[in-house]
Amino acid sequence: MLKLSASLMSINRLKAVRRYQILGTPPEEAFDRITRLASDIFDTPVALLNIATGRRSLWCKSATGWDCAGTHIQTPPCEYAMNQHDLTVVEDIATDERFASCSLAATAPNVRFYAGAPLHTPDGVCIGTLCVLAPNPRSFSDTDADRLHLLADLAVDLLEKRSPLDNTHSASLKNRSESSSLLPPHSLKEQAHKFTRLKESVLTNMSHEVRTPLTAMIGFAEILTEELDSPLAEHAAVIYRCGKRLHRTLDSMMQLSKLEGGVYTLNRRHVDLCKVVHNVVESMNESAHAQDIHVAIETPSAPVCAYADAEAVSRVVTNILDNAIKFTPNSGRVWVRVHTKGFSGACIEVEDTGVGISESAISTVFAAFKQESEGISRMYEGIGLGLTIVRGLVEMMKGVVRIESQKGVGTHVAVHLPTAPHNTGQSMS
């Protein structure tokens, strides 16, 4: 009875694989991205996407870190995983009784750890595995398991997209490949949702895993800077500055991820922009003084209120002012102004005597990971997310951000924010 059941399972599996017409196909970037992403996420040198060709044999559709794509391979853990409903994790192949005769630990790519998720079709048939492999024993958390399952689901989504055909439709393959290059709207939405969940999970875990030790490093480096004598104090100061820079980079990536994922929440109310600006400038005086840059604040005596989120406004001003200080040479000047002149709304302006931006680069300043100087010629630190986050936050608050600049003269950034909710009649011009 068990043999009959296994035979039926194998027959159903082969039928499903044939329906996708995947075996023997050349490499495809879409599948290669999944194995590369799996390798990066789980920090494993090897990731494989394998398709079943029989009860025990496998054909590798995509491989990262192992030159076996497009070949038939034998990986006993994958063969085992194909018959399991859930994830298969082998923390150490060398000591796992299920794979006592497995040769992976002794041959390329010198595998000791294995985690594989079955590729289940929409009707529940397992047609292969997505797996990650590493040379050293290790553990695999529940969060890791969820991520690998999500990647496996994405691989199946791609197989569905390739066009599930049978022989009666083979004559129309060319037409269908041309007219069905895009997923149906509901499939696109589901796939985008899976990618969003995966990205949020990775970034949230990365934030926790990096922030915790990084905060301790920054704290101890600051203490050592104060207590040690030169030159050791100078070394500690370098650690402190680099730690703060890494912390800012991580924070910016998390902010951008929330904005792009639509999960950034605002608490909009009436906010005194003058107060926010004074607080931000005070917090950045040290970095300005270090470059001998004078920051002047021009605000009216009466409060200037905008209907906005106080934390978001603070982030906006911080990012703009940070850029102004960063791109202004020593002994330069920066002005920060708050007013309501010339339009119905509130305005924050930041103007500097910095290096400026060329006319050709103005159109790209709000793009993520962009700086006018890039590659080995890049002169300034940062990953180019500041203004991207500024625009995202300002637009969420129903405002407008504008930038004017002249190369070698300086830059002027203006943020216009509404002064009341439901500002349908307000002009941000």
Side-chain angles (χ1 to χ4, degrees), residues 292-365:
D292 192 24
I293 293 173
H294 176 69
V295 180
I297 306 176
E298 300 176 13
T299 60
S301 56
V304 175
C305 290
Y307 189 72
D309 180 285
E311 184 178 343
V313 173
S314 179
R315 165 71 62 174
V316 166
V317 178
T318 298
N319 284 1
I320 297 174
L321 186 56
D322 181 62
N323 271 0
I325 294 172
K326 180 194 304 181
F327 294 106
T328 298
N330 288 0
S331 303
R333 292 180 63 87
V334 176
W335 294 269
V336 186
R337 306 182 184 97
V338 180
H339 62 85
T340 57
K341 299 175 183 178
F343 62 96
S344 176
C347 182
I348 302 172
E349 294 180 292
V350 178
E351 185 177 1
D352 63 59
T353 59
V355 297
I357 306 168
S358 64
E359 185 177 350
S360 61
I362 283 285
S363 60
T364 65
V365 294

Side-chain angles (χ1 to χ4, degrees), residues 16 125 148 153 174 209 261 269 288 378 390-391:
V125 178
L148 190 56
D153 289 344
K174 186 175 184 293
E209 293 298 326
R269 54 187 175 83
R378 183 165 153 185
V390 165
R391 183 176 64 175

Side-chain angles (χ1 to χ4, degrees), residues 11-23 51 120-125 127 156 159-167 169 173 176:
I11 291 171
N12 290 335
R13 179 176 294 155
L14 290 176
K15 284 182 178 179
V17 170
R18 280 198 296 268
R19 181 168 65 89
Y20 290 116
Q21 298 186 357
I22 189 73
L23 293 177
I51 305 297
H120 283 123
T121 66
D123 52 356
V125 178
I127 59 167
V156 174
L159 288 171
E160 289 287 316
K161 174 187 174 182
R162 289 184 82 262
S163 66
L165 300 172
D166 54 36
N167 292 332
H169 293 93
L173 175 60
R176 287 199 54 176

Side-chain angles (χ1 to χ4, degrees), residues 176-194:
R176 287 199 54 176
S177 64
E178 294 174 351
S179 62
S180 304
S181 58
L182 297 176
L183 285 168
H186 69 278
S187 297
L188 283 171
K189 186 175 181 180
E190 290 173 2
Q191 192 170 22
H193 180 63
K194 288 174 182 176

